[in-house]
Amino acid sequence: MITGIMFRDGIISAANNISNSRQAVDALNIFPVPDGDTGTNMSMTITAAKKEVMGMSDDSTLSEVSKRCASALLRGARGNSGVILSLIFRGFSKAFKDVDEASGKDVAAAFRMGMEAAYKAVMKPTEGTILTVIRKAAEAAEEMADTNDDPIEVCFAALQAARDALAKTPEQLPVLKKAGVVDAGGQGLVLIFEGFNSVFGHDAIVQPLEGSSVQPVSTPDKSTVAEASGDIEFGYCSEFLIERTKDAKETDSLKLRAYLESLGDCVVVVDDESIIKVHVHSNCPGTVIQSALKYGQLINIKIDNMRYQHRNAEVGVKEGEAPIEPKIAEPENKYGFVAVCAGAGLEELFTDLGADVIVSGGQTMNPSTDDILNAIMQTPAKTVFVLPNNKNIIMAAEQAIPLANDRDVRVLPTKTIPQGISAMLSFDDSEDAEANQMTMTEMAGAVETGQVTFAARDSEIDGEPIKKGEIMGLCNGKIMFTGADREDIAFKTVNKLFKKSQHSLVTLIYGEGVSEEAAGDLEERLKKKYKNDMEISVVNGGQPIYYYIISVE
């Protein structure tokens, strides 16, 4: 039988195993554009679960461990691959509900439910990807369970099928075959399953290699402590998770929220099927704890004396010496915005357009669902529009929607920075949320986006080799130009996108490593060719990775 402690150790082993091979998985990405790579995203996603389960006791049931794991994965999911991984484990958790120890048939059911959850999340599933790998694993698990109820044998059969499916991904996706690699997401999933197998089959946790971990890059949130001035009305910040239990006297999280609001302020109560996340400022943390115990058992309890922290902040206590609490806002306004971007200029631009909170991130570091959820909860609005501005962040943002249960969250499918800018410019405060969502989505889709960056790895596109470090010009995500001259590639990209009869405005957003003079020379070159047919705006975005982000409208 598979016990809770085995599953706990399996999570730890799996997280270590993919972290050890993170860079190798990243290198499998065939598209040479530097982005939030698959290995990094999957590693950071499952590491969130590892941190959550490490402290669980040896007598924890499989049901308890899998639920805790699924909740942590949900909040820690980064990138599309991380979201799919979290959904697979959510399926596992549902199958293991009320199961203390799993039989072979239980494991097969878990694989089936994990596979179904992953497929449902993708509008147009593509075979030869992580989806194929989990489907083949589920099929093999069910086939083995029909004749052998040993859960270890069922897990090993699933692993073998996953390996075989991974090896065949190049036959299903010609781009993989041409590049001579297997699917990166599928490889990540196999590494995770191998980490579990090390525990299930050999009773050994894969150990982390030195230097294999990765830390998210983010802009620190403003601290409620640092911003405080004068007297602090409610002196204690209480934050914890409630793990729902069968014998809980109370189940309605809205009732808990209402009670906590009578005790203090900055109340946040978000929940899913297994946990309730609580944050509140009060003068009676003991009463807060007692009220929460009616809903289940408490974990990750943190209580801070904000008056003490404020005194330390005033005399210059260094960062890390006093915990920093995120700013929590009551939903007072009608509308609010959360935008994802990287670069001081872009952050200022989105703020000027009306964004309440900026989530620092983009290509090289996709923010997690929890990062986006925290930003939503910091937005003082009843309806919050989220602009991911990157195709690899949309799914993670959508996972935050059901977690923010005290406000209406609408994720706009903005895949690029220009789409996000266009969406915000089309917002009309006099319209309702539904009408705004439709208009903003439509306007975002009408923008042509150009990007000038460098090749992160050797690759081949449409039969043409691309060398690492070579400058690339992308038109709406497709590589169209390569070369050594950055501004020449940018000029060609604009030429490809701009059509006199359809467009009139071009915005050049230049990033790190590009001087104002170089951007100005590009502007003059475009003006010389297009004269009055083209209105050009030049913005210092300060963004990493992309020398130029180009908007054509």
Side-chain angles (χ1 to χ4, degrees):
M1 303 295 279
I2 292 178
T3 64
I5 186 175
M6 291 170 66
F7 195 83
R8 179 200 67 187
D9 291 349
I11 287 289
I12 296 169
S13 181
N16 292 341
N17 200 44
I18 189 171
S19 293
N20 291 345
S21 300
R22 172 179 57 84
Q23 293 179 330
V25 177
D26 285 346
L28 293 175
N29 286 352
I30 55 176
F31 203 51
V33 175
D35 60 9
D37 282 331
T38 302
T40 296
N41 282 335
M42 295 183 75
S43 171
M44 294 182 73
T45 298
I46 197 165
T47 296
K50 168 188 168 182
K51 292 177 180 177
E52 184 68 24
V53 304
M54 282 183 73
M56 296 190 74
S57 65
D58 290 356
D59 60 357
S60 299
T61 66
L62 178 59
S63 176
E64 291 169 343
V65 177
S66 62
K67 286 199 307 188
R68 185 83 67 85
C69 169
S71 291
L73 282 165
L74 169 64
R75 287 164 170 75
R78 294 176 186 268
N80 295 343
S81 57
V83 172
I84 291 172
L85 180 64
S86 75
L87 292 172
I88 291 171
F89 276 85
R90 188 188 299 179
F92 288 178
S93 175
K94 288 181 178 179
F96 292 145
K97 184 178 180 181
D98 300 328
V99 175
D100 291 344
E101 298 181 352
S103 66
K105 287 183 171 56
D106 292 328
V107 170
F111 273 100
R112 167 61 60 179
M113 293 184 75
M115 179 271 291
E116 289 175 347
Y119 266 87
K120 286 177 183 177
V122 181
M123 189 172 296
K124 295 181 180 179
T126 300
E127 296 302 327
T129 65
I130 185 175
L131 295 176
T132 304
V133 174
I134 184 60
R135 178 169 59 82
K136 290 296 185 180
E139 291 171 355
E142 290 178 318
E143 184 177 347
M144 176 61 74
D146 284 341
T147 58
N148 187 340
D149 199 34
D150 184 338
I152 306 303
E153 291 297 327
V154 172
C155 286
F156 187 69
L159 170 61
Q160 288 293 89
R163 287 170 171 164
D164 292 343
L166 176 66
K168 294 175 182 176
T169 55
E171 301 302 320
Q172 295 172 292
L173 284 178
V175 290
L176 295 177
K177 186 174 185 178
K178 201 167 190 178
V181 297
V182 295
D183 177 68
Q187 178 66 82
L189 189 63
V190 167
L191 286 166
I192 286 169
F193 288 167
E194 287 175 343
F196 271 96
N197 185 66
S198 180
V199 172
F200 293 174
H202 308 286
D203 197 25
I205 296 176
V206 174
Q207 296 303 306
L209 299 177
E210 185 177 353
S212 63
S213 63
V214 58
Q215 297 297 324
V217 178
S218 60
T219 302
D221 291 326
K222 290 182 179 179
S223 167
T224 53
V225 172
E227 289 183 332
S229 61
D231 294 332
I232 297 176
E233 182 179 1
F234 299 106
Y236 293 94
C237 173
S238 303
E239 188 172 11
F240 50 84
L241 297 177
I242 305 172
E243 187 176 46
R244 296 181 186 271
T245 57
K246 289 182 183 179
D247 58 350
K249 296 179 181 178
E250 300 284 356
T251 59
D252 187 353
S253 62
L254 292 177
K255 184 177 178 181
L256 175 61
R257 175 185 171 84
Y259 178 70
L260 294 180
E261 285 178 338
S262 72
L263 298 178
D265 65 7
C266 295
V267 177
V268 175
V269 177
V270 294
D271 65 343
D272 60 19
E273 293 178 353
S274 58
I275 67 169
I276 305 173
K277 183 177 182 179
V278 175
H279 175 282
V280 58
H281 294 174
S282 73
N283 286 324
C284 44
T287 304
V288 170
I289 295 299
Q290 287 299 319
S291 66
L293 285 169
K294 297 176 183 178
Y295 292 78
Q297 61 179 353
L298 307 190
I299 52 179
N300 294 357
I301 302 171
K302 185 162 71 74
I303 300 175
D304 295 317
N305 184 328
M306 295 190 296
R307 295 186 180 96
Y308 176 77
Q309 289 183 0
H310 180 52
R311 288 198 302 271
N312 287 341
E314 287 181 323
V315 297
V317 174
K318 294 181 181 179
E319 183 179 353
E321 294 181 354
I324 293 178
E325 291 297 324
K327 181 180 179 181
I328 307 299
E330 289 298 317
E332 299 170 347
N333 302 330
K334 184 177 180 182
Y335 295 122
F337 294 90
V338 170
V340 180
C341 64
L346 285 178
E347 291 180 8
E348 183 178 354
L349 176 60
F350 274 102
T351 300
D352 289 344
L353 289 173
D356 297 270
V357 182
I358 303 296
V359 178
S360 182
Q363 288 300 107
T364 54
M365 186 56 67
N366 299 149
S368 69
T369 294
D370 205 33
D371 292 334
I372 296 169
L373 175 62
N374 287 336
I376 291 168
M377 303 312 295
Q378 292 176 44
T379 304
K382 296 179 177 67
T383 297
V384 181
F385 292 101
V386 180
L387 297 93
N389 300 331
N390 185 302
K391 66 180 181 180
N392 207 32
I393 299 174
I394 294 173
M395 286 183 71
E398 289 174 339
Q399 296 299 301
I401 294 174
L403 300 178
N405 58 9
D406 68 336
R407 57 201 79 192
D408 178 21
V409 179
R410 295 169 182 260
V411 176
L412 302 176
T414 53
K415 298 178 181 179
T416 66
I417 291 295
Q419 286 188 354
I421 293 171
S422 181
M424 291 205 68
L425 286 170
S426 65
F427 172 74
D428 185 347
D429 187 68
S430 66
E431 295 285 352
D432 63 26
E434 196 71 30
N436 266 308
Q437 184 172 6
M438 291 178 63
T439 300
M440 293 167 75
T441 300
E442 181 181 352
M443 295 305 293
V447 177
E448 306 276 358
T449 299
Q451 296 162 315
V452 178
T453 186
F454 59 90
R457 56 186 68 87
D458 290 341
S459 186
E460 184 179 298
I461 301 294
D462 295 333
E464 295 295 324
I466 298 176
K467 297 296 182 183
K468 181 179 179 180
E470 201 168 7
I471 306 298
M472 303 183 299
L474 289 76
C475 296
N476 296 315
K478 185 176 182 180
I479 298 173
M480 301 299 295
F481 306 103
T482 59
D485 190 315
R486 186 181 60 199
E487 276 64 44
D488 185 58
I489 294 296
F491 182 78
K492 290 178 179 178
T493 301
V494 175
N495 280 340
K496 181 70 175 179
L497 292 171
F498 188 81
K499 295 178 176 56
K500 291 182 181 180
S501 60
Q502 300 176 24
H503 306 120
S504 60
L505 175 62
V506 170
T507 303
L508 303 173
I509 304 172
Y510 63 95
E512 287 180 354
V514 178
S515 66
E516 183 179 356
E517 181 182 8
D521 290 343
L522 175 59
E523 178 187 13
E524 289 303 315
R525 187 177 173 188
L526 289 167
K527 283 182 176 179
K528 185 175 180 180
K529 176 174 181 178
Y530 290 99
K531 299 182 174 60
N532 294 331
D533 291 327
M534 180 187 290
E535 180 184 345
I536 305 176
S537 296
V538 180
V539 177
N540 180 0
Q543 71 273 5
I545 306 302
Y546 289 111
Y547 301 120
Y548 289 97
I549 297 174
I550 302 160
S551 173
V552 176
E553 301 175 74

